[in-house]
Amino acid sequence: MLAAERQKYILDVIHETGTVSVAQISEHCGVSSVTARTDLDAMEREGQLKRTHGGAVPVSQHVIPAVPQRVHKNARAKDAIGRRAAELVEDGETILVGSGSTTLAFLHWLGEKCGITIITNDVNGLIYVEQFLPQATPVCTGGILGREYRHFAGPMVASSLSDIYLDKVFLGADAFEPDFGFLAEFERTATTKVEFMRHARKTIILMDSSKVGASRSFVRFAAPTEVDMVIMDRDPGGIVASATAGKDGRSRVVLA
């Protein structure tokens, strides 16, 4: 296990339980106790935790902002989608990664990419890139921070992108209706996604199958044929593939 992966594990355990031991790290990560202590010492020097006898505890009550609970819903599907999406990213590209739990899972698979620039409006995503993707350049869009979902939105997002051109934009969707398109829960979120799409050569939607068919009111940010690709764990009844095919008949759905 790479050092960055071990450090992520250490922070995750500290956040969930309030402490981590050298023995835990050694057993879970398959490393010696010397390596585990070296990791903890390095992380303490960086201000990420506080060393204790035999382990470590948080510097404060919040070592890293809490990941929203929705990250754990359909986690296996989101991880598979993220892994498949990462195959589309080439070294040296500039990509934009929108907010959401599936796009956050996507970031976890970018560890081997070199020289990429990642622009995001997601607070948790930005922190992840800064801490665990040292080979990537993190860029924050700015805007008004929505505290509940921890992402930026609003007019300042558009102004921050005015002179930027993106190779690819990766966006999540809160729902999909075949006769209407890809939907966001809030109007400000939908407006932000539309702006993201305007600055990208390709738009790629990352969406698990539970989002097909909305039972609540949402706001459209893209018609079915306005995106270049939809990566899913599965497409129930081929609904998304059929709706997004367009006049050319080409399927835009890729299954992870």
Side-chain angles (χ1 to χ4, degrees):
M1 184 179 288
L2 298 175
E5 295 173 318
R6 295 196 302 270
Q7 291 184 12
K8 179 181 182 302
Y9 166 75
I10 291 167
L11 289 176
D12 285 345
V13 173
I14 286 178
H15 174 69
E16 291 175 6
T17 67
T19 184
V20 68
S21 69
V22 169
Q24 279 179 284
I25 300 166
S26 180
E27 180 178 356
H28 180 86
C29 301
V31 297
S32 68
S33 58
V34 173
T35 298
R37 291 189 183 94
T38 299
D39 284 342
L40 293 177
D41 290 341
M43 294 174 73
E44 183 178 45
R45 287 194 298 271
E46 295 173 357
Q48 298 185 65
L49 49 75
K50 181 176 177 59
R51 287 284 273 117
T52 62
H53 179 70
V57 295
V59 174
S60 64
Q61 289 186 337
H62 300 285
V63 173
I64 183 171
V67 176
Q69 289 298 314
R70 66 186 186 280
V71 168
H72 305 293
K73 183 178 180 181
N74 300 323
R76 183 172 297 181
K78 292 173 181 178
D79 187 62
I81 292 167
R83 182 176 186 175
R84 180 65 181 86
E87 296 175 5
L88 303 176
V89 179
E90 300 178 7
D91 291 348
E93 281 192 321
T94 296
I95 63 172
L96 192 151
V97 182
S99 62
S101 54
T102 309
T103 49
L104 186 60
F106 161 61
L107 290 175
H108 294 174
W109 288 99
L110 297 179
E112 296 184 0
K113 306 299 179 180
C114 297
I116 60 175
T117 298
I118 301 174
I119 304 171
T120 184
N121 67 325
D122 188 279
V123 173
N124 291 306
L126 187 71
I127 292 173
Y128 183 86
V129 174
E130 190 275 329
Q131 290 190 350
F132 301 111
L133 300 180
Q135 80 290 1
T137 300
V139 178
C140 180
T141 63
I144 299 172
L145 176 62
R147 288 186 173 88
E148 182 178 1
Y149 292 107
R150 303 188 64 77
H151 67 258
F152 294 99
M156 284 186 286
V157 173
S159 61
S160 70
L161 295 174
S162 60
D163 297 321
I164 294 177
Y165 178 75
L166 306 165
D167 293 301
K168 302 179 181 78
V169 58
F170 295 85
L171 300 174
D174 293 318
F176 176 81
E177 287 288 354
D179 296 327
F180 198 56
F182 298 92
L183 313 173
E185 186 172 1
F186 302 108
E187 187 276 335
R188 64 180 180 274
T189 306
T191 301
T192 299
K193 290 178 186 288
V194 170
E195 188 64 30
F196 288 166
M197 292 172 62
R198 288 184 58 246
H199 293 270
R201 182 167 55 88
K202 289 186 178 181
T203 297
I204 300 161
I205 302 294
L206 311 183
M207 180 179 74
D208 70 75
S209 57
S210 69
K211 305 298 176 62
V212 179
S215 58
R216 298 164 57 187
S217 297
F218 292 97
V219 181
R220 181 171 69 178
F221 65 87
T225 57
E226 287 181 330
V227 304
D228 296 284
M229 184 181 295
V230 186
I231 302 179
M232 307 179 67
D233 55 321
R234 61 186 183 88
D235 181 8
I239 292 174
V240 181
S242 177
T244 59
K247 295 181 180 180
D248 58 7
R250 179 178 60 88
S251 175
R252 290 174 167 83
V253 172
V254 174
L255 298 182

